[in-house]
Structure formats: C-alpha cells, structure tokens
Amino acid sequence: MAVHDHPHRRPGWHVPFPRRTGTAPASTGPTTAAAAATTAYVFAGLRLLTGFVFLWAFLDKTFGLGYATPSGKGWIDGGSPTKGFLSGVAAGPMESTFHDWAGAPWADWLFMLGLLGIGLALIAGIGLWPAAIAGTAMMALMWIAEWPPARHLSDGTPSMSTNPFADYHLIYAVVLVALAAAGAGATWGLGGAWTRLPLVGRHPWLR
C-alpha cells in the first residue's frame, strides 16, 4: 500500500497566482451534485454486490448448488452449513468451542438466517444498521475461527496465513458499517420508503 506524504508549507515558498478581476467565481453546484450522484451510485453498487455475496452463500448452502456446497449435500438434503467449517478450525482461542458448536442445529439456524437476512436487507436497501451489526458479529466470529495471527496450526503445520490481522472478514465488516452510515439504501433500493415508516422513524437504529 502506497503512503503519500503531504508536503509541509514553508514560509516564503509559495507561488502567487494572478487574480482575475471582474470575473465571478465558477459555480460548483453542478459539479458537487454530479459527484454526490456518482458517490450514491458507487455505494449502491457496492451494497448490491455485497448483498449478493451473502444471499448466494445462503442459497448455495441451502440447495447444494455445486459451488462451495456440493450437490446433494445442501441444508435441505440434511447437510449442516456449519459442521464442515467449524469442525475444521485448527487455531485460535476458541478452537474447542467452535468444535462443540459444529453441526449444532441452533448454530446452523443462526448462521443461515444471518446470511439470508443480511443478504435480503442489503439488496432491498432496508435495515442496513441491523444488517451491519449482525454481519459484523458474524465476520468477527469467522475471523476468530480462521485466526489470521497464527503462523502455525495447533498440530504444528504452517497456517498459510498471509497477514496477522487484516483479512476479507474485516473488510466485509467495514463495508457493512460504511453502507449503513452512508444511507446506501436510498439509491437503487427501498431505503427512502423504509426510513419514512413510522416504526423506523421512532427507532432510527432500524434504518
């Protein structure tokens, strides 16, 4: 990652630009509006893509669409969405805890409802703060399960971790919070109508 240093101003080292007299300053209104519209579209696109990541994970794990979940091993076929991942945890302070949770019905239901709820909320553009809170909690648990700080697994083999802190789980968590803070549901979504509901007006955390 490149770090750009900002030059410090020094007294006497500036170039005096000539001022134009009799000329009105250029209006920045259209430029500002265009930039705001572009920003809204970028956030809306990011919201939809992130929502599809969560929703697709739910669909693939439910129906065994042959991507992360093989055909015939989906949730509706009796497979467990959490057993494979949690039973494979091999590092970190919650290793034994995750092994106990692996395949538990309550863990499967919470995980799958979380994927579905977060995915639908992001795609619809509603309830972005609840989605951000739930998604951040989910990503934090998955980060602990993979435990990037570990150089070696509990059996001594290399963990293949490439970074001791930052990974895609943290990036997803930051994206979820940023989308909620930016009110990204109003563009290409139902966020505008959602925020006008009386219930949401009385409870801003539902936005």
Side-chain angles (χ1 to χ4, degrees), residues 82-100 102 141-147 153-155:
T82 63
K83 186 174 183 179
F85 177 70
L86 293 182
S87 62
V89 173
M94 293 182 63
E95 179 180 351
S96 60
T97 301
F98 286 131
H99 290 172
D100 293 337
L141 287 172
M142 295 181 74
W143 185 90
I144 295 173
E146 294 199 358
W147 199 243
L153 302 179
S154 55
D155 62 0

Side-chain angles (χ1 to χ4, degrees), residues 54-126:
F54 282 88
L55 185 59
W56 178 259
F58 169 81
L59 295 174
D60 184 54
K61 293 178 184 301
T62 299
F63 301 104
L65 300 179
Y67 286 82
T69 306
S71 178
K73 294 187 177 181
W75 196 22
I76 62 171
D77 301 309
S80 170
T82 63
K83 186 174 183 179
F85 177 70
L86 293 182
S87 62
V89 173
M94 293 182 63
E95 179 180 351
S96 60
T97 301
F98 286 131
H99 290 172
D100 293 337
W101 291 357
W106 65 266
D108 290 342
W109 277 95
L110 280 179
F111 180 59
M112 296 299 281
L113 289 177
L115 290 177
L116 177 62
I118 295 168
L120 290 179
L122 290 175
I123 290 177
I126 63 175

Side-chain angles (χ1 to χ4, degrees), residues 42-44 46-48 50 122 128 174-185:
V42 169
F43 272 103
L46 180 61
R47 189 197 83 234
L48 292 171
T50 307
L122 290 175
L128 296 186
V174 172
V175 167
L176 290 171
V177 173
L179 292 173

